Amino acid sequence: MKSRLKRGLGGLALGSLTMTCAIALSAPAIAADGPTSQDILNDAQSTGDVLSYGMGPWAQRFSPMTQLNSDNVKGLVPVFASSLGGEKQRGQESQPIVYDGTIYVTGSYSRVFAFDSRTGEKKWEYDARLPDGIMPCCDVVNRGAAIHGDKIIFATLDAHLIALNRHTGKVIWNKTIADYQAGYSATAAPMIVKDMVIYGNSGGEFGIVGRAEARDVNTGELIWSRPTVEGNMGTLHGQDNGITGKLNATWPGDMWKTGGGATWLGGTYDPGTNLIYMGTGNPGPWNSNMRPGDNLYTASTLAIDPDTGTIKWHYQTTPHDGWDFDGVNEFIPFDATINGKPMKLGAKADRNGYFFVLDRTNGKFVSANKFVMQTTWANGYNPKTGRPNFIDDNRPGAPNGAEKGKSVFASPSFLGGKNWMPMAYSQATGLFYIPSNDWGMDIWNEPITYKKGAAYLGAEFTIKPIAPDHIGALRAMDPTTGKIVWEYKNKAPLWGGVLTTAGNLVFTGTPEGYLKAFDARTGQELWKFQTGSGVVGSPITWEQDGEQYVAVMSGWGGAVPLWGGEVAKTFKEISQGGSLWVFKLPKH
């Protein structure tokens, strides 16, 4: 496994990461003006900007705008394309932020760009000074920034959190959040709650410990830290604030010290319950035979009090994970009526292939339904306990001395029924739109011991397609019934986010280079545009000068070309890139 990890990382050219900060092209007077925490809470209702990752604290990625709709979307044309330039054209998984005539995007290798939203002209660029030896498992991506007041805030591959002046790109504060030499990194977009920056960490393949943390947005000073693995101590204002869970309740020996549970996708926030919902990743190592027990709170959704950092409830989607199914996928609040009862709910399409609906006020299990072709590791969920019905024969076997354990075929593959790419929820249709993948893997366990900064897997795998005509599938699911209403199949894996609008539209990108629009009710493809490289970013829409705009990042990369094995070879001809594309309807 170490050799495979090195091969995957070898393509990142990590030995040549010497970067410099670019001088701003324009430097207006620095002002403390800009979006407030209340403005960010209202992001889902305000159409003239995009102030948060997910287009609102619930991250439904739904716009109430209807100017662009299923009748006229076929006329959508490019306004401009702005290149990120240089030779750093790897996976561009960012979601843009739009405010006051400027589009802010993050790029591969921990870069930030500010572009004029009308012309596409670059205003400034910031390149983080990354050291040699960073250890991103799954490409040098960054998924977006946060905005607050005069600041643009983003995380870096060497586990820093940096606040830049949004007018100039100059550094306001720069904080180390973890030790990159131990395998920590950060790629998720931070979240703003109550004048705090809420963020997580990456590095679950290196025996790190996941954390959710909050810092003062103006100073960067740490307010609270909450580890996600039982036995580790939390803090509040620099003081101990209780360990997470109960020591050795679900972990043997000292394995909680290297237990994984990375919070590498960030979270959502519900002001109604005053809870942050944060997903946690795989336990360490992958070899589940070494760590009997549920291994809380890995592969889970945690509900965290933003004022204290304490965990109010949890739900574990894959107890005792043995397939790297993680649980980081976004938990999206929504309201619906089930069996005649109005409920405050949340939904999550998990790596393990099941779509979960929970009561977001207390974490109680409502339903779990399969959203992929097959799930060989479990046969549904017990409706009373909310636990999976494991298929025991499909868990990888324990190694015998130096010999590898029994190999099994598992589906989904470890890259997931849905990986990082965010789904969307339409308030107009009541449907969730899930970018999913149908694939499987042969997986087996091997002996492993922890070593700081080294891969901590104890497993090997080979990913395989399971359908002759597709891997990717955009699926519309009714959360009240668990039924798939429609699906669009794509030959290559889907690896980008989804946007939906009240104009009866659903947007997503494909590795083949297209941004596509679909009818939200029927799934009919209505429009597509070739961007020149694979689209693995998350599209947005906003109103400017009386017109509706759509934007998306283009640039092929991410985990698939690094980890996809035979599947990745099928799509090796896809060109890399790094561009921001902006579209609108032409004026008549």
Side-chain angles (χ1 to χ4, degrees):
M1 191 63 247
K2 290 182 183 177
S3 63
R4 175 167 298 202
L5 188 64
K6 289 177 181 177
R7 289 197 300 272
L9 297 179
L12 304 183
L14 300 181
S16 59
L17 297 179
T18 303
M19 302 188 180
T20 58
C21 301
I23 297 174
L25 298 181
S26 61
I30 297 175
D33 62 334
T36 65
S37 293
Q38 187 60 47
D39 293 333
I40 295 165
L41 275 185
N42 295 333
D43 192 28
Q45 288 75 45
S46 65
T47 59
D49 48 33
V50 176
L51 302 179
S52 60
Y53 188 77
M55 299 173 58
W58 284 7
Q60 291 182 343
R61 299 181 178 273
F62 171 77
S63 170
M65 284 187 287
T66 58
Q67 184 182 118
L68 182 64
N69 54 60
S70 53
D71 292 328
N72 61 21
V73 68
K74 60 182 177 293
L76 202 61
V77 295
V79 180
F80 61 79
S82 298
S83 173
L84 303 194
E87 298 177 355
K88 306 183 184 75
Q89 299 193 56
R90 297 198 64 88
Q92 309 298 344
E93 294 183 355
S94 178
Q95 180 219 287
I97 295 290
V98 183
Y99 181 74
D100 192 25
T102 305
I103 303 176
Y104 302 95
V105 297
T106 58
S108 54
Y109 294 101
S110 304
R111 296 175 291 162
V112 185
F113 298 80
F115 295 106
D116 187 292
S117 64
R118 292 175 175 85
T119 67
E121 180 181 356
K122 185 169 71 172
K123 295 184 174 183
W124 54 259
E125 172 184 347
Y126 175 85
D127 289 6
R129 295 179 180 272
L130 296 175
D132 293 345
I134 58 173
M135 288 177 275
C137 87
C138 309
D139 205 0
V140 287
V141 300
N142 189 285
R143 298 189 175 97
I147 187 171
H148 184 280
D150 62 347
K151 300 172 188 67
I152 292 291
I153 304 161
F154 80 114
T156 69
L157 290 166
D158 61 342
H160 281 238
L161 195 68
I162 301 176
L164 307 174
N165 181 279
R166 68 178 179 86
H167 299 292
T168 67
K170 302 286 189 182
V171 174
I172 296 175
W173 51 257
N174 182 341
K175 301 295 183 180
T176 301
I177 60 177
D179 178 8
Y180 76 91
Q181 293 178 318
Y184 287 93
S185 57
T187 57
M191 178 171 56
I192 304 296
V193 176
K194 299 181 177 182
D195 294 346
M196 295 182 291
V197 188
I198 312 294
Y199 60 93
N201 58 27
S202 304
E205 275 58 65
F206 296 95
I208 57 88
V209 172
R211 285 180 173 81
E213 294 186 332
R215 290 179 181 266
D216 184 291
V217 72
N218 292 310
T219 66
E221 293 306 308
L222 185 66
I223 297 173
W224 56 255
S225 178
R226 175 51 53 191
T228 60
V229 176
E230 281 186 339
N232 292 276
M233 179 63 71
T235 65
L236 176 63
H237 300 303
Q239 304 296 316
D240 287 352
N241 192 31
I243 67 168
T244 298
K246 182 180 179 182
L247 181 63
N248 291 135
T250 64
W251 288 87
D254 287 343
M255 297 199 74
W256 56 274
K257 295 180 179 179
T258 53
T263 48
W264 58 265
L265 199 53
T268 58
Y269 174 64
D270 177 25
T273 59
N274 192 34
L275 291 174
I276 292 164
Y277 304 108
M278 188 81 79
T280 65
N282 59 281
W286 286 17
N287 181 351
S288 62
N289 300 281
M290 294 175 61
R291 43 175 172 76
D294 282 355
N295 310 134
L296 290 173
Y297 293 102
T298 64
S300 299
T301 293
L302 306 181
I304 301 174
D305 183 336
D307 300 311
T308 64
T310 57
I311 297 172
K312 294 299 185 181
W313 60 255
H314 77 276
Y315 176 75
Q316 191 172 37
T317 48
T318 312
H320 196 217
D321 174 27
W323 304 269
D324 186 39
F325 281 154
D326 279 38
V328 297
N329 302 66
E330 68 283 359
F331 182 81
I332 298 181
F334 72 107
D335 296 333
T337 298
I338 296 182
N339 297 326
K341 181 182 178 182
M343 300 185 71
K344 296 182 182 299
L345 302 168
K348 175 182 184 176
D350 199 83
R351 281 260 285 264
N352 68 21
Y354 285 90
F355 180 89
F356 295 88
V357 177
L358 307 177
D359 183 326
R360 71 174 183 267
T361 68
N362 55 27
K364 288 186 177 179
F365 178 85
V366 175
S367 64
N369 290 279
K370 188 168 61 175
F371 68 92
V372 292
M373 285 179 58
Q374 61 179 201
T375 56
T376 64
W377 67 278
N379 182 21
Y381 277 68
N382 184 311
K384 293 183 179 179
T385 65
R387 293 179 65 88
N389 304 317
F390 285 111
I391 301 173
D392 292 335
D393 287 344
N394 277 1
R395 180 180 292 274
N400 181 14
E403 299 297 319
K404 70 178 186 180
K406 180 188 72 171
S407 177
V408 300
F409 177 77
S411 184
S413 78
F414 82 93
L415 288 176
K418 188 179 89 65
N419 199 277
W420 77 273
M421 53 279 193
M423 63 183 178
Y425 173 75
S426 171
Q427 298 176 16
T429 65
L431 301 177
F432 279 89
Y433 301 96
I434 308 169
S436 64
N437 290 302
D438 295 319
W439 43 19
M441 63 179 173
D442 292 327
I443 182 171
W444 58 94
N445 288 329
E446 298 176 340
I448 188 71
T449 56
Y450 173 76
K451 180 181 178 182
K452 179 182 176 180
Y456 188 47
L457 301 183
E460 185 61 277
F461 52 83
T462 303
I463 293 180
K464 298 179 176 181
I466 60 173
D469 61 341
H470 77 284
I471 295 175
L474 178 64
R475 293 182 166 113
M477 175 167 275
D478 185 335
T480 65
T481 65
K483 302 296 184 184
I484 294 173
V485 177
W486 57 258
E487 65 179 7
Y488 163 81
K489 294 179 179 179
N490 194 72
K491 184 178 180 182
L494 293 183
W495 210 253
V498 181
L499 164 71
T500 186
T501 78
N504 193 39
L505 293 172
V506 176
F507 289 90
T508 198
T510 73
E512 292 92 339
Y514 289 101
L515 178 64
K516 294 191 174 188
F518 302 87
D519 186 297
R521 298 187 183 276
T522 68
Q524 178 186 356
E525 184 180 315
L526 302 174
W527 172 86
K528 66 179 180 180
F529 180 85
Q530 175 58 247
T531 67
S533 183
V535 177
V536 295
S538 296
I540 60 165
T541 188
W542 76 99
E543 183 180 10
Q544 179 174 278
D545 303 328
E547 298 179 281
Q548 185 173 353
Y549 286 71
V550 174
V552 74
M553 292 297 298
S554 170
W556 173 236
V560 174
L562 292 174
W563 295 94
E566 295 302 314
V567 169
K569 292 178 182 178
T570 307
F571 310 106
K572 66 181 184 297
E573 300 305 322
I574 297 173
S575 297
Q576 290 189 304
S579 296
L580 167 69
W581 284 87
V582 175
F583 305 87
K584 72 177 183 68
L585 292 173
K587 286 186 177 180
H588 295 293

